[in-house]
Amino acid sequence: MTTSTEWRDALSRARKEFRTWRDSRPFWAGLMTLSAGWPILYLAYGHLTLGGVTLALSTAAGAGSLVIGVLLVTLGLLMWLRPPVRVFAGVAAILLSLISLPLANFGGLLLGAVLGLVGGSLACAWSPPSEDPDDDGQSAFPSARESGGPHAP
């Protein structure tokens, strides 16, 4: 009986630690950017079989697909491991995703390009959580009524 309780407590602790880690960095941006690199890499060198037809997208753009895919995977990991460089990584992911459209089989059949654009945008928009315990999520700018602005009643 104590074994299941110990496992439950350990699992609960691990989930809480993962949630704390995830909330302290642009996790979803990194995951999407990391995921954007795989279709771009795979479609340049792999073969898809649809029904009985094999679809091979191997083109001269294989080297470009390799570089763009590896860079997107690296930028996704960078967002997770170094949150302060999230804006650089986000802008680079957006630019690489746009470049992948003409160079890498339409950005991995648009799947990699869309994931990279969304991941890069999320990275640019993410801000670190406030360390102020009194911060209740309210805006730092007071409304017109609170500040006694020109149109306050």
Side-chain angles (χ1 to χ4, degrees):
M1 195 69 129
T2 61
T3 306
S4 65
T5 306
E6 290 171 359
W7 276 99
R8 194 174 303 129
D9 291 342
L11 183 61
S12 177
R13 259 191 323 274
R15 286 184 61 208
K16 184 177 181 182
E17 289 173 7
F18 175 71
R19 186 176 298 131
T20 302
W21 178 83
R22 184 189 68 195
D23 290 344
S24 67
R25 60 200 70 245
F27 176 77
W28 296 108
L31 183 66
M32 287 193 175
T33 305
L34 183 76
S35 301
W38 295 117
I40 293 173
L41 281 170
Y42 178 76
L43 291 175
Y45 298 104
H47 301 290
L48 296 175
T49 303
L50 303 172
V53 178
T54 299
L55 178 65
L57 295 174
S58 299
T59 63
S65 298
L66 178 67
V67 169
I68 291 171
V70 167
L71 283 175
L72 283 171
V73 169
T74 303
L75 288 170
L77 291 172
L78 187 66
M79 289 176 198
W80 282 351
L81 301 175
R82 300 285 182 214
V85 298
R86 69 188 180 281
V87 175
F88 165 75
V91 169
I94 290 170
L95 291 175
L96 284 170
S97 298
L98 289 174
I99 290 171
S100 75
L101 288 170
L103 291 182
N105 297 321
F106 298 114
L109 294 180
L110 294 180
L111 181 64
V114 169
L115 283 171
L117 289 171
V118 172
S121 300
L122 285 174
C124 290
W126 185 83
S127 62
S130 174
E131 294 185 18
D132 184 14
D134 296 331
D135 186 20
D136 58 354
Q138 297 295 325
S139 174
F141 302 104
S143 66
R145 286 187 181 175
E146 294 170 357
S147 65
H151 299 291

